[in-house]
Each structure stands twice: as C-alpha cells, then as structure tokens.
Amino acid sequence: MDNFTRKQNGMAYIADDFCNGQMLENRRKLHEYNYSDCWSEEGQKRHSELLREILGSVGKNANILPPFHCDYGYNIEVGDNFYANYNFIVLDVAPVTIGNNVFIAPNVAIYTAGHPIHYKARNSMYEYGIPIEIGDNCWIGGNTVICPGVKIGSGCVIGAGSVVVKDVPDNVVAAGNPCRVIRGITDEAIRYYFKKREFDPEAMNYIEELYK
C-alpha cells in the first residue's frame, strides 16, 4: 500500500516524495497568502480566492489573518463566520473539521500529526495523523495546543495557554495543561462580557435583537 493511501486511511505512514510534493505545492500557495497584500479591496478578493484554493472546504465569511501555516490544506474544513487571528498553525495530516462561528485567538496550534513513543519505531520515519473536530460557536484562546484525536463540543471556550489532550463536552469553559472542564456555560452568561462586567442596556438590546 502506498504511503498516501496509508495516510488518508489513518494508518502509520512515511512522508515520502509524493506526500512531500503535496506539502510543497501547498507551501507555495501559503507563501502568496502570507506575503501578498490582504488589506486593499483587490488584495482581500485574492486572499479569499487563495483560502478557498488552500482549504478543503470554506464557509461564508471565513477569514484567517496571516501568517497562516498548514501541511496539506485540503484536510481542513471550516464553517461559516470562521475567524483565526495571527499565526494559526494546523498540521493537517488527518482531517480537521471546524464548525460555524468559531473564533481562533493568536498562536493557536492544531496538531493531528504525531510520532510513535518508542524511539526505534519513531526513527523508522513512520508517523500518523488522527482527526480533530471543533463544534459550532467555540472560542479557542491564545497559545492553545489541540492534540491528535481531540473532539471539542459546541459552545465551548478553551482558556488561553491550554493543552487539549482529551475530548471536551458541549457548553463548557475548559482550560489548563492538561485542559480540563472548569465550569458549564448557562444562559445567564449572556449578560456578561468579561468576568462580572455586565453589558450596558444598549449593547444588551442589540444582542437580543440578533436572536429574535
């Protein structure tokens, strides 16, 4: 079985010339994405085109601020209103599926890729990729690392600096190294924008109108 087929089927594989060729082609697109004008009207249009060429699936109003780095690109799917801040890194050996209305803070890294624990197996150059999923309406805090095989439920907030090694259920705040659930997110939380600071009436009315 060739290594590309092994990789796509979640088996241990070696990144051979074919796999490396695919990554090289993706890096050429990323170079243009990261170093071209993305602020003018024409530049924004080209940026949007490039993002759709790089990623496997892109929803409406998706935006990734450069620099952005990934291995293959085609294994990444993002939903509507996706936003990733500076220095978003995705090692997409395996599929990475991200839902709608997901915010990614700066310096977040998503790693589907890994290597065997035993050095003899690791030095054989075999590696692996295990899929990662992030549900709808999530906010991933800055400098978070998401490890192979993790599923993050919808409506979650992952605190800055977390290392996520296990699945996270829906509608919770989770943080730490290793990341663990801190508390649930209830409807009461809509009143607050930071800790115990409440939205003023004007802002609260605007939010409520959005969901009528």
Side-chain angles (χ1 to χ4, degrees):
M1 187 183 299
D2 64 82
N3 281 295
F4 175 75
T5 302
R6 297 179 66 90
K7 178 178 76 70
Q8 294 300 98
N9 282 281
M11 301 168 65
Y13 77 101
I14 294 173
D16 58 14
D17 288 345
F18 181 79
C19 294
N20 285 325
Q22 288 191 322
M23 287 190 283
L24 179 60
E25 180 61 30
N26 184 54
R27 286 169 188 152
R28 291 191 178 104
K29 296 175 185 177
L30 285 169
H31 185 273
E32 182 180 355
Y33 188 85
N34 287 328
Y35 291 99
S36 62
D37 167 32
C38 64
W39 310 115
S40 69
E41 184 175 345
E42 189 63 30
Q44 289 176 1
K45 180 181 178 182
R46 178 59 181 151
H47 243 225
S48 179
E49 291 172 351
L50 278 168
L51 194 61
R52 293 184 180 280
E53 290 178 17
I54 292 167
L55 303 188
S57 179
V58 183
K60 296 179 292 186
N61 303 318
N63 188 23
I64 300 176
L65 293 185
F68 166 48
H69 302 282
C70 62
D71 281 336
Y72 296 91
Y74 58 70
N75 277 328
I76 303 170
E77 297 184 5
V78 302
D80 295 341
N81 307 314
F82 174 76
Y83 180 83
N85 217 311
Y86 306 113
N87 203 35
F88 183 38
I89 298 174
V90 186
L91 303 188
D92 60 316
V93 168
V96 173
T97 306
I98 300 175
N100 299 319
N101 307 306
V102 173
F103 296 173
I104 303 286
N107 301 313
V108 167
I110 296 177
Y111 302 149
T112 70
H115 303 272
I117 295 298
H118 196 285
Y119 76 92
K120 289 183 177 179
R122 188 167 61 249
N123 291 345
S124 72
M125 303 307 292
Y126 272 106
E127 56 185 284
Y128 61 86
I130 310 295
I132 289 173
E133 296 179 19
I134 300 174
D136 297 333
N137 303 307
C138 290
W139 175 22
I140 312 299
N143 294 291
T144 290
V145 175
I146 301 174
C147 294
V150 164
K151 295 182 180 180
I152 296 176
S154 294
C156 290
V157 174
I158 306 299
S162 296
V163 179
V164 190
V165 297
K166 294 182 179 180
D167 292 354
V168 177
D170 293 347
N171 301 313
V172 297
V173 175
N177 181 7
C179 186
R180 61 185 180 84
V181 174
I182 305 298
R183 60 183 173 85
I185 299 174
T186 66
D187 290 342
E188 175 72 7
I190 197 173
R191 295 170 48 201
Y192 304 96
Y193 65 91
F194 178 70
K195 294 185 178 180
K196 292 300 180 181
R197 297 190 181 191
E198 293 191 40
F199 284 105
D200 61 273
E202 181 182 356
M204 198 68 244
N205 286 338
Y206 176 79
I207 292 168
E208 290 172 346
E209 285 294 324
L210 289 175
Y211 291 93
K212 280 188 176 178

